[in-house]
Amino acid sequence: MQRKTIFWGILGLIALGFPLVVRSPYYQHLVIISLMWVVIGSSWNLLAGYTGQVSFGHAIFFGVGAYTAGLFPTHLGLSAWWGMLAGGIISMLVALFVGWVCFRLRGPYFALATLAGGEIVRLIAINWESLTEGMVGILIIQSFKSKLPYYYIVLILAVASILVIDLIMKSKWGYYFVSIREDQDAAESMGINTTLYKNVSLLVSAFFTGMAGAFYMNYMAFIDPEVVFSLHFISIMAILVGIVGGVATIWGPAVGAFIMVGLQETFRSSLFGLAPKWISQAHALAFGLLVIFVIMYLPNGIVGDWATIKRVFMRTRRSAG
Amino acid sequence: MALLEIKNLTKSFRGLTAVNNVSFEVDEGEIVSLIGPNGAGKTTIFNCINQFFPLTAGDIIFRGKSIKGMKTYKICQLGIGRTFQVVKPLKRMTVLDNVTASSFCRINSIQDARRKAIEVLEFCNLLSEKDKLARSLPIGGRKRLEIARALATEPKLLLLDETAAGLNPSELDEAIDLIRRIRETGVSILMVEHIMKVVMTISDRIHAINFGQTIAEGTPEEVANNKAVIEAYLGEKHA
Ligand SMILES: Nc1ncnc2c1ncn2[C@@H]1O[C@H](COP(=O)(O)OP(=O)(O)OP(=O)(O)O)[C@@H](O)[C@H]1O
Ligand SMILES: [Mg+2]
């Protein structure tokens, strides 16, 4: 109990103090992006890890959130920060429709439907130019020069999403979600309205993912459909963050987010300039290998299989010493 | 008034009529057994009662109201609990969490739901297993978990699909005792069972079907001596 308090205290201090100590905008940027992925990964995990409805289309909610924020300045003459709340809500409305269509299907068919849905929404965003500016994208003026405000905003968002999901998982909803994942027919015969609760899970997931998208618009000040509705960089990344960190664990996606963003950046920068340039092309391959490794040796992710990891390290330490 | 009335129930799967014009009732406080050879249509009747699939024809009346076309979860909320012949434990949840999840059918607060689950687990002799993952239970435990989960929804009518299959003799006696104790709490029971020891010792009435059709109905003695029933079972054995 005592040790736990100390651990959380230190972690809290690090989280609050990080951008004050580490002044490099580059590292601040990486942590801001990681925290954004904590939000998306945790949201994906609520739906896929806990409720068992594996989404290959979370870019839908991220992109809708981002575009909602972008439309405030371009179409309404208001600040894009209004999009933070509106982005979550509009994403939920879109999720209502996605759920209505996709939850008619189960298992892999649901996953495929969300995959198709993501591609459809991306094409709509490209072609509906009067609303989205199409491939030109949306450019806004950043509110802050410093990264500090962005850092604290996304930190609050990340902490809030984890706390809310943790609370949900300890409530009746949480029991219902996991029951649905384990056996939908059994859940239904236990009096659980499985259609309703799958939609509840999707809506909460879409809300936070949409907020993350709106944050991205505000922070990066530029979006286009190929970025925010990207299958590869958003939908698949959300899955990787969840799987690497550990599905159906509260902290898994948070750990996964930092690892995946770190890995992505390592490759993008060709191992920080140390390796030849072509290495940056290999990041898809590296992601693939990482997923294969995790699925084979840590099927429950880094957090889910922490006990195994610890055991392996203890053994090597003992045999070394 | 009967608690459950099955009226001219018919269910076809693309040409195959699995249940053909079957009618019977379960009264308040009764234990009724549904028997018949393999493939007779017993599980299909259960699946029709809790509306896993739509009826082809006929009607099902529960406490005076038709439940035809209702959603499965609604039927549970109305007071019909069921177990599955092919057990469906929520494998990666603990035994306690399995039952807590179904306690939420009548209870909203987590403390009360957990308290209810513990009560039910104790009733089903599963309390000592409460912290194990459901997938680690042996078949006897899984069968009792099915019952516990159904009981936690506080049913008026419990549908038991081959609860005794695969149990050893001592577990069998325990199962018989459990079913009796459930009835004493005021729950009516409709059960599908192959094991004659169970059927004959605890049923008030037996409804026998073969090839989806009723072949006999009556008290255990009446049905045991019924020619059509003997033929259905012996015929199957000699085939
Ligand atoms: N979902 C389904 N689709 C198609 N056919 C089905 C379906 N469910 C059951 N059947 C068929 O209906 C018939 C009755 O099956 P049912 O499972 O009701 O038998 P049962 O009396 O429960 O048998 P057992 O004692 O083996 O459990 C069988 O011929 C079976 O193949
Ligand atoms: Mg059967």
Side-chain angles (χ1 to χ4, degrees), chain A:
Chain A
M1 199 64 212
Q2 191 70 23
R3 268 176 62 181
K4 231 177 171 177
T5 321
I6 294 171
F7 174 78
W8 289 116
I10 292 174
L11 196 70
L13 278 178
I14 292 175
L16 287 172
F18 167 79
L20 305 173
V21 176
V22 179
R23 306 296 301 182
S24 148
Y26 173 67
Y27 288 109
Q28 289 182 349
H29 169 74
L30 285 186
V31 174
I32 289 172
I33 292 297
S34 297
L35 287 170
M36 183 188 86
W37 276 104
V38 171
V39 180
I40 304 166
S42 301
S43 308
W44 178 86
N45 183 41
L46 179 70
L47 181 66
Y50 285 117
T51 319
Q53 312 300 310
V54 178
S55 157
F56 274 70
H58 255 50
I60 299 173
F61 313 120
F62 182 79
V64 165
Y67 269 93
T68 305
L71 294 182
F72 275 88
T74 55
H75 285 248
L76 300 171
L78 293 168
S79 159
W81 289 109
W82 286 104
M84 285 293 282
L85 192 61
I89 291 167
I90 303 287
S91 278
M92 276 169 73
L93 292 178
V94 171
L96 221 47
F97 181 74
V98 171
W100 182 68
V101 176
C102 297
F103 282 140
R104 290 152 199 263
L105 304 166
R106 286 190 188 188
Y109 300 102
F110 171 81
L112 287 176
T114 57
L115 179 77
E119 292 305 283
I120 291 168
V121 173
R122 187 172 58 86
L123 292 175
I124 291 174
I126 291 173
N127 290 297
W128 191 355
E129 294 183 351
S130 61
L131 186 75
T132 65
E133 318 280 341
M135 286 303 288
V136 175
I138 292 179
L139 182 67
I140 63 168
I141 301 161
Q142 267 187 330
S143 319
F144 311 106
K145 275 245 153 354
S146 157
K147 293 208 183 296
L148 286 195
Y150 296 106
Y151 176 86
Y152 287 110
I153 288 168
V154 77
L155 179 65
I156 290 170
L157 189 55
V159 171
S161 63
I162 288 178
L163 285 182
V164 168
I165 289 170
D166 190 38
L167 273 180
I168 287 178
M169 289 317 299
K170 286 175 179 152
S171 73
K172 166 173 159 172
W173 285 6
Y175 280 85
Y176 277 13
F177 294 167
V178 179
S179 302
I180 290 169
R181 176 191 76 196
E182 290 298 299
D183 195 312
Q184 203 173 312
D185 289 335
E188 188 82 13
S189 74
M190 286 153 61
I192 300 172
N193 183 347
T194 56
T195 310
L196 173 69
Y197 284 96
K198 283 194 287 187
N199 276 294
V200 168
S201 175
L202 173 67
L203 255 55
V204 176
S205 183
F207 177 77
F208 282 115
T209 309
M211 296 244 303
F215 169 80
Y216 184 85
M217 172 80 260
N218 277 286
Y219 175 56
M220 299 301 281
F222 174 74
I223 56 169
D224 75 31
E226 296 295 357
V227 173
V228 296
F229 287 113
S230 164
L231 171 65
H232 185 142
F233 289 106
I234 308 296
S235 294
I236 304 280
M237 179 79 166
I239 298 170
L240 294 177
V241 164
I243 289 180
V244 169
V247 291
T249 60
I250 286 292
W251 293 101
V255 172
F258 279 86
I259 291 175
M260 291 311 295
V261 171
L263 211 65
Q264 197 174 37
E265 185 57 21
T266 311
F267 276 93
R268 200 193 56 78
S269 63
S270 304
L271 306 183
F272 304 103
L274 295 174
K277 202 89 193 100
W278 59 263
I279 286 283
S280 67
Q281 305 298 317
H283 96 271
L285 178 67
F287 277 24
L289 291 175
L290 178 72
V291 169
I292 291 171
F293 174 83
V294 166
I295 288 173
M296 280 177 67
Y297 296 103
L298 306 168
N300 301 308
I302 289 168
V303 170
D305 283 321
W306 187 240
T308 317
I309 297 172
K310 259 196 341 210
R311 206 162 350 105
V312 169
F313 274 94
M314 302 276 242
R315 206 183 302 145
T316 43
R317 260 222 319 257
R318 219 176 300 134
S319 57

Side-chain angles (χ1 to χ4, degrees), chain B residues 76-122:
Chain B
C76 174
Q77 290 174 354
L78 277 179
I80 303 182
R82 80 166 287 184
T83 70
F84 292 93
Q85 177 177 2
V86 179
V87 289
K88 295 180 184 291
L90 307 175
K91 287 192 187 131
R92 288 172 293 179
M93 290 166 82
T94 64
V95 168
L96 178 61
D97 285 351
N98 265 261
V99 183
T100 306
S102 68
S103 300
F104 282 121
C105 185
R106 312 266 170 225
I107 296 167
N108 268 316
S109 106
I110 178 125
Q111 285 84 7
D112 293 346
R114 203 168 288 152
R115 200 169 307 131
K116 168 91 195 170
I118 287 181
E119 242 171 63
V120 171
L121 284 175
E122 184 154 35

